[in-house]
Amino acid sequence: MAKIGINIATGSLQQAEMIVGIDLGTTNSLVAIIHPETKMPIALKEHGTSSLVPSIVHFDEYGNASVGEVAKQYLESEPQNTIFSAKRLMGKSYNDVKNNANFFTYKVIDDNTDSLVKVQVGNQFYSPIELSSFILKELKQRAEHILKTPVTKAVITVPAYFNDAQRQATRDAGKLAGLDVLRIVNEPTAASLAYGLGLRMDEEKTIAVYDLGGGTFDVSILRITNGIFEVLSTNGDTYLGGDDFDRLIIQHWLKEKGMTEEGLHSNKQLAQTLRLIAEEAKKQLSTQEVFEMNNPLFATDNSQQTYDLRLTTYDFNALIQPLVDKTITSCVNALKDAALTTADIDTIVMVGGSTRVPAVKNAVSAFFGKPVNDTVNPDEVVALGAAVQADILAGNNKDFLLLDITPLSLGLETMGGLMDVLIPRNSKIPTKVGRQYTTYVDGQGSMRISVFQGERDLVKDNRKLAEFNLTNIPGMPAGLPKVEVNFLINADGILVVTAKELRSGVQQSIEVKPQYGLTDKQVEQMLMDSITHAKDDIQIRALVEARTEGEQILVVTEKFLTKNTTLITKEEMLATAQAMQALQLALTMEDKNLIHTKTEELNEITRPFAERAMDEAISSAMKGQNILG
Ligand code: ADP
Ligand code: MG
């Protein structure tokens, strides 16, 4: 057995490197590590408590945040300042979430529909990154308290379907929480690792990972070859999970007692209690045939009579059957997209608290025609796998070959001197990433492409690698050109940056050696700086983003006003001018919340104009058109 040193001064375990695995879930989050003695992954928990931390942030009247079980108590009573499911907002614009806006009981700001969403609590504005960072900070603190050692490095998991922006947002949240995020790992990959899959080099397997959590369902088909995981397909429903089971139970009971759901809306206390009882009933039914409870709270206003709440597994199964069927349809589709049949699946891995429901397990097993893997705790399996991945990155797992990776992030300078990361650090090479950009000025004929390396939010704090101008872009209105920038790192570590305007085809490229003249010590220093400055950096970024957004709104409004004077009354013109002035003034100050507020106010005034102009545009377009009948 390996010897473990103990730091006498702090009483902490002295480890080469403590890298934790974190499952940042929609409903629950948790931390896991590889136990220094047993070498087995374990979820961290305080004695006698759960390892799960509800992914909920509550803000009190002074703006102080609390996280987890404490915050959960305010879900029904203070819905405006109790933020749940922040993960759903990560890397999203309002356009992305507007169809599900009703889902959120707190205020999701919709000022500039293409910019990233923010959440307003009182007069404070929070980005989903900040909200997630509160959860990660709590996890970090808990881990430090339990391990009695500082925790600064982590592997964090994300759903396999997360795009670039969502992954970057998750990295930023980690950074803001004071964590050096060594790698972002797909949740189904982590779950497979926890079952020891993919740890043998000669292994070739096709795996189905079925993940039914609190509010989301996804199924992923993975292929492992030579220790490398490839996602063949994903499918699912981002609004289906165990919470829906709870809701069905509540509806069932209400119907039984002749009560309506409206009655619940007016009685927050009852709603909260009932939700907790329904979840408890569901959990009990995972191991027993009937749930019974005599609850005095569940009485109608005019009678003090108590009601027995009762539910059998039989009735519960009937209630959830349609939802379970839906998940199986997703499995069918995932297989179809991967061009496979159930016979091609070697292993089925069950993930998420809701897979404890026997009816769910049976349905999945029946569909794939073989028993499922469910021996590892489904709430913890993703975090446990993240810990396995962390251990590999720490170099503790010597059988595992570490592939070539990029030591620092590579990106471009965007508006306001911000760093836009295209290839995050620790990415495997060779790799290729592309992203589209557009112009900000009408008729802009060239675009400067500045390539930077480093972890800071402002490019001025990073290392400039190269710069060139993409010229001869044909004159177009701002926002119309589509400039695609590609970063390609080949196996020798050479970076080729190509920029191409897609409408005209003009293109240009440049070659750089990112590692040229960079010592390990410098890399380390740059990493350290990014963590120590994380908070300031993210604040500056938020300010710059707020300003860019505010400036854009001003330009658009001005353009609109000069073109559409006839559509607007004098009073409206005056109100708009005032709001524009107020925003202009706010832009000169260092207060992002003020800028957001003033941007919102201007938006409120101009929103109806846009609709009017739209009607006008449509009717004038119709006038000149020959309509085929
Ligand atoms: P997420 O991945 O969305 O963060 P989890 O995997 O933690 O979610 O799953 C949370 C869901 O699992 C909740 O709806 C919870 O009620 C449900 N759950 C937890 N334990 C059980 C159980 N024993 N039986 C049925 N459902 C359960
Ligand atoms: Mg999960």
Side-chain angles (χ1 to χ4, degrees):
M1 201 177 71
K3 278 204 184 115
I4 298 146
I6 292 197
N7 181 327
I8 312 278
T10 61
S12 65
L13 291 180
Q14 207 121 81
Q15 276 218 290
E17 232 176 350
M18 176 58 78
I19 309 178
V20 299
I22 295 179
D23 172 6
L24 181 60
T26 310
T27 316
N28 296 303
S29 300
L30 68 151
V31 189
I33 58 157
I34 299 295
H35 192 281
E37 283 170 47
T38 65
K39 303 288 174 211
M40 296 297 282
I42 49 157
L44 294 180
K45 58 178 159 194
E46 217 84 60
H47 217 68
T49 62
S50 164
S51 58
L52 301 186
V53 176
S55 306
I56 302 174
V57 185
H58 169 260
F59 294 97
D60 69 12
E61 54 186 312
Y62 308 107
N64 299 319
S66 62
V67 173
E69 289 297 344
V70 187
K72 194 175 179 178
Q73 293 167 2
Y74 297 98
L75 262 188
E76 311 279 338
S77 60
E78 296 183 23
Q80 307 86 348
N81 39 351
T82 309
I83 317 301
F84 62 93
S85 281
K87 183 175 177 177
R88 293 179 187 280
L89 300 174
M90 289 291 263
K92 294 281 179 99
S93 73
Y94 188 73
N95 263 336
D96 297 332
V97 292
K98 67 170 181 234
N99 291 336
N100 297 301
N102 286 339
F103 174 84
F104 303 98
T105 54
Y106 43 88
K107 189 161 183 211
V108 180
I109 291 297
D110 60 343
D111 38 57
N112 187 340
T113 48
D114 273 333
S115 59
L116 296 179
V117 297
K118 283 171 287 290
V119 168
Q120 184 177 9
V121 179
N123 55 6
Q124 293 289 308
F125 293 79
Y126 299 97
S127 68
I129 295 174
E130 288 174 284
L131 295 168
S132 296
S133 84
F134 285 116
I135 297 166
L136 290 170
K137 242 181 258 171
E138 172 76 20
L139 295 174
K140 177 180 185 306
Q141 274 166 12
R142 282 188 193 211
E144 289 176 337
H145 190 244
I146 294 165
L147 297 171
K148 299 194 170 43
T149 178
V151 170
T152 56
K153 295 184 179 202
V155 167
I156 304 181
T157 58
V158 297
Y161 57 77
F162 255 31
N163 65 22
D164 242 28
Q166 293 169 299
R167 286 166 197 262
Q168 188 58 41
T170 306
R171 280 178 183 278
D172 286 345
K175 198 159 100 174
L176 190 54
L179 290 168
D180 179 9
V181 182
L182 293 183
R183 183 154 310 164
I184 296 286
V185 179
N186 287 331
E187 288 163 12
T189 301
S192 305
L193 285 171
Y195 275 97
L197 299 161
L199 292 178
R200 276 205 356 255
M201 273 306 177
D202 56 349
E203 185 175 55
E204 289 203 16
K205 266 203 170 113
T206 308
I207 308 167
V209 181
Y210 178 102
D211 182 347
L212 190 59
T216 60
F217 165 66
D218 43 85
V219 52
S220 313
I221 310 293
L222 308 178
R223 174 95 198 132
I224 331 175
T225 32
N226 305 322
I228 294 173
F229 285 84
E230 185 190 355
V231 180
L232 299 183
S233 68
T234 66
N235 211 291
D237 186 335
T238 45
Y239 288 88
L240 193 167
D243 298 346
D244 297 299
F245 295 179
D246 305 347
R247 223 163 286 135
L248 288 169
I249 296 175
I250 294 171
Q251 283 166 4
H252 171 80
W253 281 337
L254 288 176
K255 206 163 117 197
E256 218 175 54
K257 312 293 177 201
M259 277 176 76
T260 63
E261 275 190 83
E262 283 72 56
L264 265 195
H265 291 314
S266 55
N267 191 342
K268 294 249 158 47
Q269 186 57 47
L270 179 59
Q272 171 90 332
T273 310
L274 208 48
R275 223 170 42 87
L276 293 176
I277 299 173
E279 186 176 4
E280 183 53 35
K282 171 185 74 176
K283 287 183 179 172
Q284 285 193 21
L285 291 179
S286 290
T287 50
Q288 64 196 46
E289 288 297 311
V290 58
F291 167 86
E292 274 169 319
M293 182 186 261
N294 193 278
N295 192 279
L297 243 178
F298 196 56
T300 47
D301 293 337
N302 47 14
S303 80
Q304 285 309 305
Q305 187 185 357
T306 66
Y307 289 85
D308 283 328
L309 294 174
R310 195 184 134 84
L311 189 67
T312 62
T313 311
Y314 184 85
D315 287 338
F316 174 63
N317 289 349
L319 286 175
I320 64 167
Q321 186 66 48
L323 299 185
V324 177
D325 289 347
K326 250 176 133 177
T327 69
I328 297 300
T329 306
S330 289
C331 295
V332 172
N333 292 330
L335 282 175
K336 208 188 312 165
D337 290 344
L340 297 175
T341 67
T342 50
D344 298 315
I345 303 297
D346 302 307
T347 310
I348 304 134
V349 172
M350 299 298 265
V351 181
S354 303
T355 59
R356 287 225 182 75
V357 174
V360 169
K361 234 180 259 190
N362 294 338
V364 177
S365 168
F367 171 72
F368 285 102
K370 46 172 85 70
V372 296
N373 283 287
D374 61 355
T375 49
V376 180
N377 183 338
D379 306 315
E380 296 181 345
V381 64
V382 168
L384 297 175
V388 172
Q389 176 69 68
D391 199 47
I392 294 170
L393 288 176
N396 295 337
N397 196 330
K398 294 279 186 263
D399 313 335
F400 218 83
L401 177 97
L402 264 185
L403 299 149
D404 278 340
I405 52 169
T406 56
L408 291 167
S409 302
L410 297 162
L412 286 183
E413 172 175 1
T414 56
M415 281 290 275
L418 293 179
M419 173 87 172
D420 192 27
V421 172
L422 274 89
I423 301 183
R425 77 192 194 84
N426 277 331
S427 295
K428 283 182 208 134
I429 58 175
T431 184
K432 187 183 167 191
V433 178
R435 198 168 293 166
Q436 278 191 15
Y437 298 87
T438 189
T439 52
Y440 291 97
V441 184
D442 286 344
Q444 191 175 326
S446 76
M447 199 182 235
R448 199 177 59 202
I449 309 290
S450 305
V451 184
F452 284 85
Q453 175 177 47
E455 310 311 311
R456 303 286 300 275
D457 285 89
L458 294 180
V459 292
K460 72 172 177 57
D461 300 316
N462 290 331
R463 186 170 179 247
K464 190 187 229 170
L465 294 179
E467 185 173 83
F468 64 93
N469 280 315
L470 177 66
T471 50
N472 296 326
I473 302 174
M476 282 182 254
L480 213 55
K482 281 190 181 161
V483 176
E484 185 170 283
V485 178
N486 272 298
F487 275 36
L488 187 148
I489 304 187
N490 65 20
D492 300 324
I494 310 263
L495 169 69
V496 180
V497 179
T498 311
K500 180 176 183 181
E501 203 288 306
L502 298 179
R503 292 180 195 274
S504 58
V506 292
Q507 79 166 36
Q508 204 156 320
S509 69
I510 202 167
E511 232 180 60
V512 269
K513 286 185 190 154
Q515 262 63 275
Y516 187 74
L518 198 64
T519 64
D520 284 356
K521 209 158 179 92
Q522 281 171 310
V523 172
E524 217 168 276
Q525 188 58 44
M526 287 173 88
L527 292 178
M528 281 296 292
D529 286 349
S530 76
I531 299 293
T532 44
H533 293 100
K535 212 170 161 185
D536 297 338
D537 272 11
I538 299 230
Q539 260 164 13
I540 295 173
R541 175 183 281 271
L543 182 64
V544 171
E545 279 169 354
R547 275 190 187 145
T548 305
E549 199 183 312
E551 275 159 14
Q552 271 180 297
I553 296 253
L554 283 176
V555 171
V556 170
T557 312
E558 214 158 86
K559 235 193 220 174
F560 179 85
L561 289 183
T562 44
K563 267 196 204 152
N564 301 285
T565 31
T566 52
L567 291 176
I568 301 155
T569 67
K570 246 204 187 101
E571 290 75 32
E572 285 174 336
M573 189 66 110
L574 202 68
T576 311
Q578 262 165 9
M580 285 173 78
Q581 221 164 36
L583 175 56
Q584 230 138 21
L585 187 65
L587 286 177
T588 64
M589 292 182 247
E590 308 275 299
D591 182 350
K592 74 157 175 140
N593 285 313
L594 185 69
I595 299 174
H596 284 313
T597 306
K598 295 301 164 197
T599 305
E600 253 301 271
E601 282 169 11
L602 177 58
N603 257 315
E604 287 292 319
I605 297 173
T606 58
R607 197 166 290 135
F609 305 171
E611 278 160 28
R612 247 178 270 164
M614 196 87 90
D615 291 347
E616 180 93 339
I618 290 171
S619 64
S620 61
M622 296 282 276
K623 262 180 231 153
Q625 216 93 98
N626 289 320
I627 300 185
L628 297 174

